[in-house]
Amino acid sequence: MGELQEFSNLIGGELRPASGGETLDSVNPATGAVWARVPRSTAEDADAAVTAARSAFPAWAAMPAAGRAHFLRKVAEVFSANAEELATIETRDNGRIITETSRRDVPGMTYLWHMAAAECGAAVEGKTVILGAGGMGFTRRVPYGVVVGIIPWNSPISTFSAKAAFALAAGNTVVMKPAEQASVSTLRLGELLREVLPPGVLNIVSGLGEEAGDALVRHPGVDRISLTGSTETAKIVTRASTDALKPLAFELGGKSPNIVFADADLDAAAKGVSTQSVFTANAGQVCVAGSRILVQREIFNELIGRVTAIAARIRLGEPLDQSTTMGPIVSREQYERVTSYLEIAAKEGAELVFGGRFGPELVDEPYAGGYWVEPTLYSTTDNSLRVCQEEIFGPVAVAIPFDTEEEAVAIANDSSYGLAAGVWTRDLGRAQRMFRDLEAGTIWVNTYRKMPPGLPFEGMKDSGYGHDSVLANTREKSCLIEI
């Protein structure tokens, strides 16, 4: 792993460099040093990948569900057999610490691919309707065709699996475009999976969004697009895909509220609003990060004291070290964005509770060139501040006091985003009211950031729409017959 490595696209079952021969540097965010190179793909590469997927589609779609399930189980075995390598690559590439990638991400994806295999049958099930004595109707589900998945840099292996597994289970063929900041784990998966999947069923093309990504979303041979990314990127994809009216699924940003009531278990809540939510192992680079911590006023100081004590025990450092509990920001660009909000918070008058430092002073050599930001918490009573309204995507949170349940709901919903929310309470009636009243696609009570594959994950408002289940990757036909 110490030598500079080069990776290739997977197109039609073959490993290929970019057609123009250009590459992009992959930077280890813990050190700031280049450790790998990936293809800087062109529109020609995007076209080749879509063409390969379209050629493979008829046979894959016609395969019995049990046959597709067989292949998906083989993919799950690849994850299991290569777990240590995949976890290490993901950690090296985006800074997500090894205890997360090795204990949570890769094992979870082994389970997810097995689950997708088990759901292949759902993609071919329909319903029958009797239309009187002389006729009947029924539905059949069919795959869309070629599905493009655009995945983010914060959890490439997990998002790759969530998009590819269920699209393939439904009978689609797939082209995946990883984020240019962290493509290596996805490209390595391509090397491994070409040995177990038919050629062209899965294709992977790395490169810049404005080059390879734009060519994919505009391609007339693409039938569905699924993006996990920013709201601004979703708007660009929407405009680029309008000529062909492609179905879209967007899982976007968030500014999620994590609400603590006075009757909550405060020990559990303190962990739930800190290390489980925004001061995470991957430095708060989580779409559902609970970056607005709403606390009932009578327990505000007590809870913030507990959160402060937890944050003091967080250890930044080498992501491959088992004792590290928080990694770096993924790239210099994102690091500069996160640190700019520390200046914004100060100018807006938010009170610094703890943290606020960034840069080489936080770590020892050889990590001084990495992109380090320590857990940071501000306090304010003004939810209109930019640090309360804009997604930061780093280990930065704002604590806001409230008095009543109604006030908590009003503050929580005062956001353009609606991805997720957390609630900490022992009151079952209140929990049910919060499920009803909070404008969020996923709401947790007395837990946070649990996203089992059996439940849909879908946002509201600027957090997107649609999801990536097996049925979401199919369309229904109505069929009628007179007897």
Side-chain angles (χ1 to χ4, degrees), residues 351-369:
E351 178 184 349
L352 181 64
V353 178
F354 59 74
R357 296 183 304 158
F358 55 90
E361 66 181 278
L362 299 177
V363 292
D364 299 325
E365 292 290 349
Y367 307 107

Side-chain angles (χ1 to χ4, degrees), residues 13 27 41 57 79 113 140 152 158 250 254 258 289 323 326 389 411 416 421 476:
V27 175
S41 302
F57 171 67
F79 274 86
W113 282 90
R140 33 181 318 174
S158 299
F250 291 143
N258 212 345
S323 66
M326 180 182 286
Q389 291 293 322
I411 295 171
S416 63
E476 279 189 297

